Amino acid sequence: MDRIQLARKVRAIKQVDGGQCDFDILVRRSDGKVIGRLSPLRPATLGEGDLIAKLTAWRSRWMHCFLTQFAATPSRTAKWLERVVLPSDERVLFLIHTEAGVPVGHIGVCGLSPERAELDNLVRGEVGGDIQLIYYAAQALLRWICGELKILTINLHVLSSNSRAIILYERLGFRQINRERLYREITADGVNHYSGERREGDEEANFQYIEMVLACENTSCSDPA
């Protein structure tokens, strides 16, 4: 799949051009039982119930796991979705639904190209559904990226302080390939962590930025039995 075809597919599943492409990824346990689904965020989704409030609350709860930390608000969340997530031909944010259809988290893919993609925005927002729903949701998304999109390599970034996420990613088959020092910048908006050269007045963070990678040839691209 070339870059143009990939962009068209992303736009279609997000229905950003007004199309009606009904697309969900089923989430199955290893025994084949369906325990949920991944639904791409679409323009129409933004007005559904209290979704924006939920996403804002989830971001606030897990703010310490992100490079940029600020006071999350519904308006800010909506602007991010409308201006960053939905218009991008290289990014999809999937809502993680339980078998009963209740959204309990989200997981995203960004930087999509014919060669590689990045897993991001994995959040378990609230309890509900199968105890291993998040693991199998991530596995289902990886299977789609590798099997359907035919992408060769998937990487991700995670803070070294987020040990639970690192364990999950390693269980999925990711391996660590790089660690970078992070520096803490206080801004009018909150806190921003960055790598590279330290700027005057900024302190080194007490955690690092880990890059992990997964070669699609090392993961299963077929549906579970």
Side-chain angles (χ1 to χ4, degrees):
M1 187 176 298
D2 63 29
R3 192 174 294 273
I4 293 177
Q5 291 173 321
L6 186 58
R8 286 174 177 167
K9 188 173 188 67
V10 167
R11 296 183 68 82
I13 67 173
K14 292 196 291 187
Q15 300 180 354
V16 294
D17 294 323
Q20 295 299 317
C21 176
D22 293 325
F23 175 86
D24 285 325
I25 299 173
L26 294 180
V27 178
R28 300 177 185 271
R29 286 191 321 217
S30 55
D31 62 4
K33 176 178 172 56
V34 175
I35 58 172
R37 62 184 172 86
L38 300 178
S39 177
L41 192 82
R42 301 171 173 127
T45 312
L46 301 186
E48 292 181 355
D50 60 350
L51 179 62
I52 296 297
K54 278 179 175 286
L55 296 179
T56 303
W58 298 347
R59 174 74 188 216
S60 296
R61 187 173 304 139
W62 296 105
M63 189 69 72
H64 61 281
C65 296
F66 292 86
L67 285 176
T68 305
Q69 301 169 4
F70 52 83
T73 64
S75 61
R76 186 166 188 161
T77 300
K79 287 179 181 178
W80 173 67
L81 295 172
E82 293 167 354
R83 299 178 182 180
V84 178
V85 177
L86 289 176
S88 175
D89 292 341
E90 300 178 354
R91 178 191 292 266
V92 186
L93 183 67
F94 292 87
L95 294 174
I96 302 173
H97 294 269
T98 66
E99 186 179 2
V102 179
V104 294
H106 56 64
I107 184 171
V109 57
C110 65
L112 278 166
S113 75
E115 296 79 28
R116 62 188 304 116
E118 178 162 356
L119 197 70
D120 76 340
N121 276 302
L122 175 54
V123 167
R124 164 69 112 154
E126 51 197 74
V127 298
D130 192 276
I131 192 172
Q132 295 197 73
L133 176 60
I134 298 303
Y135 168 76
Y136 286 115
Q139 190 179 73
L141 180 56
L142 294 176
R143 186 179 297 114
W144 178 71
I145 294 170
C146 294
E148 178 69 21
L149 302 185
K150 308 298 183 185
I151 289 172
L152 303 177
T153 304
I154 306 170
N155 72 324
L156 61 84
H157 291 84
V158 60
L159 302 184
S160 62
S161 54
N162 195 351
S163 57
R164 291 179 63 183
I166 294 170
I167 291 171
L168 172 65
Y169 296 140
E170 289 178 339
R171 185 181 171 201
L172 288 165
F174 285 88
R175 60 182 179 86
Q176 297 185 31
I177 59 171
N178 189 41
R179 280 179 175 248
E180 293 183 278
R181 292 180 179 179
L182 288 173
Y183 299 99
R184 188 170 184 263
E185 175 190 24
I186 307 298
T187 69
D189 198 36
V191 178
N192 177 52
H193 295 92
Y194 64 92
S195 59
E197 185 175 349
R198 182 177 69 87
R199 295 189 285 269
E200 185 176 357
D202 295 340
E203 298 180 351
E204 184 174 346
N206 59 0
F207 47 79
Q208 297 175 313
Y209 203 38
I210 299 176
E211 182 178 7
M212 305 181 75
V213 68
L214 172 70
C216 278
E217 63 185 12
N218 295 331
T219 190
S220 172
C221 296
S222 59
D223 288 331

